[in-house]
Amino acid sequence: MTGETPVSLVSTAGQVTVVNFWASWCGPCRTETPMLAAAARELSSQGVQFIGVNIRDDRAAAAAFEREFDVPFPSIYDREAALAATWKVTAPPSTFVVARDGRVVASIPGPIEKTDLSCMIEYARAGGSID
Amino acid sequence: MTESNESEDFGAEPVPPRAMERMHGWRRLRSMRTAIQLLIAVAIVSLLGSVIPQRSAAPSKVAQFIEEHRFWGEVFDRLGLFQVFTSWWFLALAGFLLFVTGACLIPRTRAALSHARRIKQAPERGRLPDLRFTTEVESELSSDETVTEARRVLGRRRWRSSPVNGANQWIAERGHSRETGSVLFHWSFFLVALAAALTITTKFEGSAVVVEKTSWVEGGRVNFDEYSEGAFARWINPHAGFTVAVEDFDVAYGDDGMPKSYTSRVKILDDGREVLEDEVRVNKPVSYKGVKLYQLGYGWAPVVRVTDGSTVVYDGPLVLGMRGPNGSSAGVIKLPSTASGSVGLELSLFPDFKLVPFRATNPDDPRAREPGALDLISTGDFGERPLVVVTEYRGDLGLDKPQNVYELDKTGLEQVAQKFATFPANANEKLGTSTQLGGGLNVELIDLRRFTVFSVKRDSYGTPVAAAAAAVMMLSLYPALYAYRRRLWFEVVEGGTEGVVLRFGGVAYQRKDIFEEEFLRIETDLTDALRGAGSVAKKATR
Amino acid sequence: MNRTSNAAFVSALVLYFVAAGGYFGFVAWRTRKWKVFATAVLSLGWALHLLSLITRTLAAEHAPWGNMYEFTASLAFVLITAYLFVGQAKFGLTALGGYVAAAAAILMSVGWVIYADPGELQPALRSNWLTFHVFLVMAGASLLLFGAILEVMYLVRRRWEARHPDFADEDTSDGGLVSRLPSADRLDQASYRMIMFAFPIWTLGVIAGAIWGEQAWGRYWGWDPKETMSFIVLMIFAAYLHARATQGWRGRGAAILAIVGGVAILVNFYAVNLWIAGLHSYAGT
């Protein structure tokens, strides 16, 4: 996991980025994380970046979760869910897709399916519009 | 029928009972009878909400009721009897009562406003109306002076007076504040309804659990443990985004061991800068940027470190839920992937533990037959002799199913060990601060902390409007009940020994028993003034 | 301090019973001696009752309405105060003294059964608004109850007057208890005045409760069973005040409303505390 000072999400500009809010105590997160981990590995070479935000969690428990699912992408430790609140997340899991220009083009509250994720990523790659 | 000698008028025209039977439509709607019937109906409907358990006040009782009376529980639920005060029929009834009140108030308000500008003329002109109280006072003054003097005396008693058109008569009046008060009092119900509507549609409220020495952010729904908001809350009462750091939490106990007061010392940080340092107590909320923090509850949150071999798998405060008297509480740590498999830990805290002889509540309990069996209890919630019982469960945690974060689903689990430990500050030879479990798992107790529960609310408009409604109510209710409208007519005629006589009569529209005395006092005053003043005037001219 | 309070309380209770006997003696024989005796005993009881409340306040270090015993003691005190200084001194309703004294004594006996030593107040109860709120609802409730009792007597007397047109005057009597009551007109007047006086107090009490609720729990109204019952009491007495001014409701209808309101007050103070759970349930300890 990355440090407690949030990685500036601005650094993601220029790349399509998937932002996933999660917690080790959250049941649906356990369901979707293997898929997200696989997708992150598959798409890293194609210029799609994944960032996790761990919210309202015990740090050691979160690290154990990442080890359990062998999560390849870094996560921001957001214990107070301050960052999550600015993203208007209501509960974990919650996933956002950010286009190259930094605009959030899609958000899915609740567990995400593989097909939806691919679809959203395609959409973001197209610049957030369908040509 | 006993005829009461008080006849109140709340603005409705007196209607003989027979005619009442024939009243229809609008007039009937605006009649006092309708108002009484609606008030009684509201009372009866509210009674249902008091007798039948309500979801808002006691959700567990509602569940129990439905469980016990399956059929009727279902029927009651369908009829909305478990949430009477938000049911459509209650709101319809209340709305209808408001509508009827409004229908009465509009003409009354118009009349009251026009009346405030000038006294309405009596229909009788040219002669004094047929009054219950009439009298004559001889005057030593000229007729003009008599009128001036009479008006002055009445004015001192706060009577307004004006000449009756065309006739050589005067009319005086007092007690108009009754009608003003009554109209305002009834209008205040609309303010109450507005306040309720604002609160329901624009307020957000939730609860937040914060452990001592940690902080919490008022950012949005995600930060709350329980949360609800009105439909327009996000625009009208948005979240303020500040941080609440709980420095510490204190409970003060009375002589009887019951908590006397509990206090959260908080610092509020906005944009990283400390803006406020205060204490949140019961009855003393802290407010910042329109958001109010109320002290709701508290509990224990021991700081625990769990290691799996050399890897730390849990390291922080664990929030415990209340399980028994005197602060006995418990919480769980779920470890789905330790080196030795999936483990569930249950930590039970006894803040001031004591071992007592076991007393079976159930005769079938095998321990009841065991000689010298002991039971662990807590004798207080002070945290002076804390003991933690760590129970180790192995098996399937069932994490693929939705479950409670604060409890273990024990269907797929088996208890394998139970160990005791305490905290560094309370360590003794018998009780260490850490305990070794199976598979290289170790639980270490670091610190005993408390957590505090805040109720967090923002209702920037509903509450002030409700306060305004309450103020209007209290200011208008006394005049509406106690002031009473009464009139005097007077004229100056020739006669008596001095040549000038002031004839006057009066009537009270309410509280006639009091008016009788007042009328006599006015007569005395006028007599004194018209005679006394006259003699003084005569002396002066002499 | 607390022992003084308890001794004074029990003495007052006994004296109220004696005074009730004295007032009934006055009703039966109509001699001045009985009236002077009853008034003296009742006044002495009242003074001891006051002493009991003051010492209780000193012992408990909070206003004497922190639990149901204290509340009942204060309620009875307001009732006797209202009777002595308004009912008897102002309206001359001496014929009612026996009933009021007996009602207060019975209330206090119930209070003695649920006696509890003075204790620390729960944190939620430590508030000036609460003290104010409870004082107002207690005073308002006891005076409304007084009004309701007067309305019961009014109904009884009214029926009697209808049957005995010859005896309708207050100074005639057929020897029965009812014939010794004040006239229906006077009872009607007295109860109306009492309720008119008490209604704003109760209203203000409910408002003070809402303010306290806002401070303690963050909401000014929540339809908690106690709040609901208080609201019902407000509705019923509001209906009463309107009924007083309405043909067909004046007299009997209004009286029945006031009596129902009185019953609602008793239910609110005792039944809701003991059997219905809610935020006010700590009032039951």
Side-chain angles (χ1 to χ4, degrees):
Chain A
M1 265 200 312
T2 328
E4 219 154 319
T5 31
V7 172
S8 167
L9 285 173
V10 181
S11 71
T12 66
Q15 253 185 319
V16 169
T17 307
V18 176
V19 182
N20 175 248
F21 291 86
W22 64 279
S24 70
W25 45 262
C26 137
C29 300
R30 298 182 65 82
T31 320
E32 69 170 13
T33 300
M35 184 277 287
L36 285 172
R41 281 197 187 85
E42 194 184 312
L43 297 169
S44 65
S45 57
Q46 298 170 37
V48 179
Q49 189 187 16
F50 280 65
I51 289 179
V53 182
N54 172 260
I55 60 175
R56 306 190 66 186
D57 210 346
D58 177 71
R59 206 167 173 167
F65 181 94
E66 287 178 319
R67 278 194 303 276
E68 181 183 355
F69 293 101
D70 195 13
V71 179
F73 53 84
S75 276
I76 295 162
Y77 182 55
D78 183 21
R79 209 196 68 81
E80 281 125 28
L83 188 60
T86 63
W87 282 63
K88 305 256 180 276
V89 170
T90 56
S94 201
T95 307
F96 296 80
V97 179
V98 186
R100 282 190 196 88
D101 57 1
R103 281 183 307 124
V104 174
V105 294
S107 75
I108 299 241
I112 189 167
E113 299 285 331
K114 190 171 183 196
T115 47
D116 293 338
L117 183 66
S118 324
C119 202
M120 280 158 55
I121 289 168
E122 276 316 305
Y123 181 58
R125 278 178 157 165
S129 60
I130 296 160
D131 298 324
Chain B
M1 191 184 136
T2 322
E3 186 57 51
S4 160
N5 62 354
E6 294 274 331
S7 109
E8 294 281 335
D9 76 309
F10 283 72
E13 315 86 292
V15 181
R18 206 31 86 69
M20 195 70 112
E21 306 297 332
R22 294 193 302 268
M23 265 177 17
H24 288 297
W26 195 239
R27 270 192 78 196
R28 169 150 210 160
L29 197 72
R30 281 173 37 190
S31 77
M32 197 86 95
R33 280 179 138 199
T34 312
I36 296 168
Q37 284 157 0
L38 281 173
L39 284 169
I40 294 171
V42 170
I44 291 170
V45 166
S46 308
L47 192 62
L48 290 176
S50 176
V51 175
I52 299 170
Q54 296 294 295
R55 281 222 168 82
S56 56
S60 58
K61 284 217 161 186
V62 174
Q64 192 190 339
F65 188 93
I66 295 177
E67 190 71 27
E68 280 170 14
H69 314 266
R70 289 213 158 273
F71 174 73
W72 287 111
E74 173 86 356
V75 171
F76 279 25
D77 205 4
R78 287 278 170 82
L79 290 173
L81 288 174
F82 296 124
Q83 42 238 348
V84 167
F85 302 103
T86 47
S87 69
W88 65 267
W89 40 269
F90 181 81
L91 293 178
L93 187 62
F96 188 54
L97 182 58
L98 266 190
F99 175 74
V100 169
T101 310
C104 287
L105 277 180
I106 290 167
R108 280 178 68 187
T109 310
R110 206 179 288 148
L113 285 175
S114 81
H115 195 94
R117 286 193 289 272
R118 59 185 176 84
I119 300 177
K120 263 195 237 158
Q121 291 296 339
E124 308 87 352
R125 284 177 200 165
R127 64 180 178 89
L128 282 188
D130 190 16
L131 298 167
R132 188 161 159 199
F133 303 104
T134 48
T135 189
E136 294 187 351
V137 176
E138 288 190 14
S139 173
E140 297 175 350
L141 307 171
S142 70
S143 11
D144 286 354
E145 281 170 340
T146 302
V147 168
T148 316
E149 190 63 14
R151 290 185 73 179
R152 194 185 62 80
V153 168
L154 288 170
R156 218 173 45 206
R157 287 183 160 273
R158 294 201 286 131
W159 286 71
R160 293 194 297 165
S161 54
S162 75
V164 176
N165 294 347
N168 194 20
Q169 280 184 3
W170 299 79
I171 184 169
E173 193 182 66
R174 241 201 102 173
H176 189 63
S177 57
R178 182 189 191 87
E179 182 64 5
T180 314
S182 177
V183 163
L184 272 177
F185 183 74
H186 287 86
W187 275 124
S188 75
F189 304 154
F190 287 84
L191 270 185
V192 171
L194 176 67
L198 280 172
T199 295
I200 291 165
T201 56
T202 70
K203 163 174 163 173
F204 80 71
E205 69 183 324
S207 64
V209 171
V210 193
V211 179
E212 278 179 293
K213 302 184 183 74
T214 69
S215 48
W216 176 82
V217 174
E218 202 289 282
R221 185 185 289 253
V222 68
N223 305 96
F224 289 90
D225 292 272
E226 274 172 41
Y227 185 79
S228 68
E229 63 173 34
F232 310 117
R234 69 178 68 179
W235 297 288
I236 293 168
N237 283 312
H239 293 280
F242 57 80
T243 301
V244 182
V246 176
E247 305 282 291
D248 66 29
F249 180 81
D250 260 338
V251 187
Y253 294 92
D255 301 333
D256 53 0
M258 299 299 281
K260 217 163 84 174
S261 73
Y262 37 100
T263 310
S264 306
R265 275 207 310 120
V266 298
K267 275 185 179 159
I268 291 181
L269 299 103
D270 199 359
D271 252 346
R273 275 182 306 111
E274 186 188 317
V275 288
L276 196 72
E277 188 170 353
D278 208 342
E279 291 180 345
V280 189
R281 277 194 305 274
V282 178
N283 287 320
K284 190 203 157 281
V286 163
S287 171
Y288 180 67
K289 280 192 169 173
V291 178
K292 280 184 166 180
L293 294 176
Y294 297 83
Q295 183 66 55
L296 197 64
Y298 60 92
W300 293 104
V303 179
V304 181
R305 183 180 298 139
V306 183
T307 45
D308 176 17
S310 60
T311 321
V312 181
V313 289
Y314 190 95
D315 187 9
L318 177 69
V319 170
L320 306 184
M322 204 65 88
R323 290 292 157 80
N326 293 327
S328 305
S329 39
V332 300
I333 298 175
K334 296 171 187 178
L335 304 166
S337 60
T338 69
S340 55
S342 142
V343 180
L345 299 179
E346 191 171 68
L347 277 73
S348 303
L349 171 76
F350 297 85
D352 294 280
F353 84 94
K354 195 181 177 187
L355 285 166
V356 292
F358 180 73
R359 280 167 76 192
T361 44
N362 172 7
D364 296 333
D365 193 324
R367 284 207 290 161
R369 287 186 291 276
E370 210 177 290
L374 291 175
D375 213 358
L376 194 52
I377 61 157
S378 181
T379 58
D381 188 33
F382 313 112
E384 281 162 6
R385 240 166 87 83
L387 172 77
V388 173
V389 182
V390 181
T391 313
E392 178 189 354
Y393 292 89
R394 284 182 181 266
D396 180 14
L397 285 168
L399 290 179
D400 45 343
K401 298 187 288 280
Q403 56 167 260
N404 188 334
V405 185
Y406 297 104
E407 274 169 36
L408 288 177
D409 176 4
K410 289 178 188 159
T411 45
L413 291 173
E414 197 187 337
Q415 181 183 329
V416 292
Q418 197 160 50
K419 301 260 170 95
F420 305 96
T422 188
F423 298 87
N426 313 90
N428 58 37
E429 297 118 56
K430 281 188 199 149
L431 287 169
T433 59
S434 71
T435 174
Q436 196 71 39
L437 303 169
L441 223 53
N442 188 66
V443 177
E444 190 186 350
L445 301 179
I446 311 286
D447 189 12
L448 183 57
R449 291 195 203 161
R450 301 236 199 202
F451 67 79
T452 176
V453 188
F454 295 129
S455 168
V456 184
K457 184 198 87 163
R458 183 168 190 175
D459 181 21
S460 306
Y461 300 96
T463 305
V465 172
V472 173
M473 255 183 207
M474 285 330 300
L475 290 176
S476 58
L477 185 52
Y478 276 94
L481 286 174
Y482 285 95
Y484 60 106
R485 206 155 65 84
R486 59 270 198 202
R487 279 182 167 183
L488 288 176
W489 282 264
F490 56 91
E491 62 185 353
V492 176
V493 291
E494 283 180 20
T497 50
E498 302 283 343
V500 177
V501 169
L502 177 72
R503 274 174 49 189
F504 66 101
V507 65
Y509 299 97
Q510 301 94 16
R511 310 197 67 186
K512 288 167 188 166
D513 51 330
I514 297 184
F515 181 64
E516 191 167 352
E517 280 173 38
E518 188 182 15
F519 188 80
L520 291 174
R521 278 199 306 271
I522 289 170
E523 185 182 353
T524 315
D525 274 15
L526 282 171
T527 310
D528 288 354
L530 297 180
R531 297 226 165 122
S535 40
V536 171
K538 272 183 184 166
K539 269 178 208 151
T541 48
R542 202 174 288 159
Chain C
M1 210 42 109
N2 192 43
R3 287 175 65 183
T4 314
S5 169
N6 292 347
F9 180 86
V10 174
S11 316
L13 166 58
V14 171
L15 285 175
Y16 287 167
F17 272 123
V18 174
Y23 279 109
F24 285 124
F26 169 70
V27 166
W29 290 288
R30 296 238 155 205
T31 56
R32 219 184 100 75
K33 264 194 287 178
W34 279 106
K35 182 177 168 182
V36 170
F37 166 74
T39 311
V41 172
L42 192 70
S43 306
L44 181 61
W46 178 84
L48 284 169
H49 198 162
L50 180 63
L51 175 71
S52 163
L53 290 178
I54 292 172
T55 46
R56 177 82 184 190
T57 306
L58 294 176
E61 294 173 352
H62 57 73
W65 40 83
N67 61 31
M68 258 170 92
Y69 158 73
E70 291 174 352
F71 194 88
T72 307
S74 298
L75 196 91
F77 182 76
V78 176
L79 200 62
I80 294 293
T81 309
Y83 168 74
L84 263 181
F85 296 96
V86 184
Q88 186 173 333
K90 192 153 173 242
F91 288 99
L93 299 171
T94 316
L96 302 180
Y99 301 97
V100 178
I106 290 167
L107 260 178
M108 287 166 77
S109 307
V110 173
W112 194 241
V113 170
I114 52 176
Y115 174 81
D117 275 326
E120 299 275 359
L121 282 181
Q122 288 184 43
L125 303 184
R126 291 161 184 272
S127 151
N128 291 336
W129 275 110
L130 171 92
T131 309
F132 187 53
H133 157 67
V134 181
F135 172 72
L136 289 173
V137 293
M138 181 195 60
S142 52
L143 297 175
L144 286 174
L145 259 181
F146 199 161
I149 294 170
L150 290 175
E151 291 285 12
V152 173
M153 291 176 173
Y154 161 76
L155 283 184
V156 170
R157 172 74 188 195
R158 205 173 94 120
R159 235 177 91 155
W160 183 87
E161 279 180 13
R163 285 189 189 160
H164 303 79
D166 315 340
F167 292 110
D169 185 27
E170 261 181 55
D171 293 324
T172 57
S173 156
D174 66 353
L177 267 183
V178 180
S179 68
R180 301 268 167 70
L181 284 175
S183 74
D185 271 354
R186 274 184 50 199
L187 284 167
D188 188 52
Q189 271 303 310
S191 60
Y192 178 53
R193 290 259 187 112
M194 195 63 86
I195 292 171
M196 202 167 77
F197 179 65
F199 183 78
I201 298 177
W202 179 265
T203 310
L204 187 58
V206 171
I207 290 175
I211 295 172
W212 173 48
E214 209 280 326
Q215 266 185 20
W217 304 311
R219 92 280 185 291
Y220 48 87
W221 196 263
W223 297 110
D224 160 270
K226 202 101 185 167
E227 288 170 346
T228 309
M229 269 327 266
S230 311
F231 174 76
I232 293 170
V233 170
L234 262 185
M235 289 295 109
I236 296 173
F237 282 101
Y240 168 87
L241 289 177
H242 286 86
R244 290 283 316 201
T246 309
Q247 294 276 351
W249 275 92
R250 198 171 296 155
R252 191 155 169 271
I256 290 171
L257 278 175
I259 294 163
V260 171
V263 172
I265 286 173
L266 289 177
V267 168
N268 196 9
F269 283 131
Y270 296 100
V272 174
N273 280 5
L274 298 175
W275 295 303
I276 302 175
L279 282 169
H280 283 79
S281 50
Y282 43 63
T285 56

